[in-house]
Amino acid sequence: VAHALEQAGTAFGAGDVRHASWMDTLAAGIAHFASRKNSGDMRKKCLQVCAGRGVTRVADIIEEATNSLRPARLQDADATWYMRYSGDASNYFKNPSKPSYDDHLRWFASALRDRQRTLLILDRFTKPCAHTRLDRVADGVAEISIVVSSEARGLGLAAYALKSTAERAADAGLRSLEAIVHKDNALSC
C-alpha cells in the first residue's frame, strides 16, 4: 500500500529505518515537501486518489474495534461502583452522597430490572471504563447520565458514549434526551 501511494505521488517513502542513509533521505523529503508548490502538488494528487475521509474512516474503524457499548449485567456492579465512587465523579451527581457498597448492589440489581431505566457499559479493549444511564422521564424522553472512570478520562470516551447511547435510544423509540449538568462540571458543558 505504501509503495502504491508513493508511486501515485501521494506519499513519500524514506526507505528502511535500519539503513544509515534513512535520516538523510527523510530530511531531504521533508525539505522537498516544505515548499508550497511541492506540497500543493501532492495535495492535488491525494485528492484524486481518495475522497478525503480516509483518515476519518480509519479512525472510526479503530474506535469501533476498541470501544463497544453493551447492556449492563449484574457482574458490572463492581465496575460501576468503582467508576462512580473511586474518583471525584460523584461530586457532580444530583445526589452526591456515597451509598454503602451493599446499598449500591441493591440499587444496581433493581435498576437492571426497572423497565423505565436502561444501564449501558462502555468497554474499551473489553474493560469496562464508562457507563451510561437512561431514565425515562416522559413519553419518548429520557434523562441521560454518563460516568467515565477516572483513569479513562480525557480519551474522548464520554463523547463516544453519548453518541452510541443516543443511537440506541433512538432505536428504542426515544425522541429526545435531556442531561442535567452540575454547574461546576465544566468538562461536560
Side-chain angles (χ1 to χ4, degrees), residues 55-74:
V55 171
T56 303
R57 278 195 305 270
V58 170
D60 289 347
I61 290 167
I62 291 169
E63 187 173 69
E64 289 298 324
T66 58
N67 300 327
S68 64
L69 190 71
R70 61 173 174 79
R73 306 181 291 255
L74 192 54

Side-chain angles (χ1 to χ4, degrees), residues 44-97:
K44 288 175 188 171
K45 290 176 184 175
C46 287
L47 290 173
Q48 293 170 352
V49 171
C50 69
R53 278 203 22 89
V55 171
T56 303
R57 278 195 305 270
V58 170
D60 289 347
I61 290 167
I62 291 169
E63 187 173 69
E64 289 298 324
T66 58
N67 300 327
S68 64
L69 190 71
R70 61 173 174 79
R73 306 181 291 255
L74 192 54
Q75 301 91 305
D76 295 313
D78 287 343
T80 57
W81 168 262
Y82 178 79
M83 286 179 228
R84 293 173 64 85
Y85 302 111
S86 68
D88 64 348
S90 63
N91 294 343
Y92 305 110
F93 294 170
K94 282 194 287 187
N95 178 2
S97 65

Side-chain angles (χ1 to χ4, degrees), residues 53-175:
R53 278 203 22 89
V55 171
T56 303
R57 278 195 305 270
V58 170
D60 289 347
I61 290 167
I62 291 169
E63 187 173 69
E64 289 298 324
T66 58
N67 300 327
S68 64
L69 190 71
R70 61 173 174 79
R73 306 181 291 255
L74 192 54
Q75 301 91 305
D76 295 313
D78 287 343
T80 57
W81 168 262
Y82 178 79
M83 286 179 228
R84 293 173 64 85
Y85 302 111
S86 68
D88 64 348
S90 63
N91 294 343
Y92 305 110
F93 294 170
K94 282 194 287 187
N95 178 2
S97 65
K98 182 178 178 179
S100 71
Y101 180 73
D102 288 339
D103 286 344
H104 169 74
L105 291 178
R106 281 189 286 279
W107 172 85
F108 195 80
S110 173
L112 288 174
R113 292 188 303 270
D114 187 342
R115 299 184 63 78
Q116 297 301 309
R117 178 173 284 161
T118 302
L119 299 180
L120 300 166
I121 302 294
L122 176 62
D123 291 326
R124 180 170 174 79
F125 299 110
T126 72
K127 180 182 182 228
C129 62
H131 78 89
T132 62
R133 186 174 91 206
L134 295 173
D135 292 304
R136 285 154 191 81
V137 295
D139 187 34
V141 180
E143 182 180 310
I144 185 170
S145 303
I146 300 172
V147 177
V148 178
S149 65
S150 55
E151 66 272 2
R153 291 185 192 150
L155 300 175
L157 297 177
Y160 180 85
L162 176 60
K163 176 181 167 251
S164 298
T165 302
E167 289 169 357
R168 285 189 181 230
D171 290 345
L174 292 169
R175 297 181 315 277

